[in-house]
Amino acid sequence: QVQLVESGGGLVQPGGSLRLSCAASGRLRINAMGWYRQVPGKERELVANIRSAGSTNYADSVKGRFTISRDNAKNTVYLQMNNLKPEDTAIYYCNADVWDWNLDRAMNYWGKGTLVTVSS
């Protein structure tokens, strides 16, 4: 069974940094991984994603502050978040587009989320 496990959330002051990690496990081939975030009362929104070939995509609100990267050997994606702002406060969810070898089909999976709070 494919699982995504996030880590690295927490409380940070404005201007500070955090790094989120998401490790995928199971019989899979990863096509793309990314991070989304959600605050109560709002829709979940894309923060950044990275495809297997390495191309990346960022939300305008995080360009220049966040960097997504991945370690293919570890099936892990990272989100380095710098110069954090209070409006970055949200639950951050890891997402993966994979080929699930157990199911022999393409699937999309979500992690359980990790809370990032930016506050003084």
Side-chain angles (χ1 to χ4, degrees):
Q1 183 177 358
V2 174
Q3 287 188 318
L4 303 180
V5 178
E6 302 118 327
S7 61
L11 173 64
V12 63
Q13 292 186 341
S17 297
L18 282 175
R19 190 176 83 150
L20 305 182
S21 299
C22 172
S25 62
R27 296 183 66 233
L28 54 88
R29 183 190 70 231
I30 295 175
N31 296 318
M33 293 186 77
W35 292 94
Y36 289 71
R37 66 187 181 187
Q38 188 172 24
V39 297
K42 293 189 176 182
E43 292 187 357
R44 193 171 296 187
E45 63 175 4
L46 174 69
V47 177
N49 60 19
I50 183 167
R51 302 204 62 83
S52 57
S55 61
T56 58
N57 183 41
Y58 293 93
D60 287 342
S61 59
V62 307
K63 284 181 180 177
R65 299 188 298 123
F66 291 9
T67 303
I68 190 169
S69 61
R70 60 189 283 182
D71 184 332
N72 291 333
K74 296 181 179 179
N75 284 341
T76 298
V77 66
Y78 306 96
L79 185 68
Q80 178 66 43
M81 305 185 292
N82 298 328
N83 190 21
L84 282 159
K85 303 176 180 181
E87 51 264 40
D88 295 317
T89 296
I91 298 174
Y92 284 70
Y93 295 91
C94 180
N95 178 267
D97 283 328
V98 309
W99 184 266
D100 188 319
W101 290 110
N102 283 332
L103 300 177
D104 201 22
R105 59 175 289 184
M107 295 290 293
N108 184 269
Y109 290 100
W110 291 94
K112 293 182 179 181
T114 184
L115 177 63
V116 172
T117 303
V118 184
S119 175
S120 54

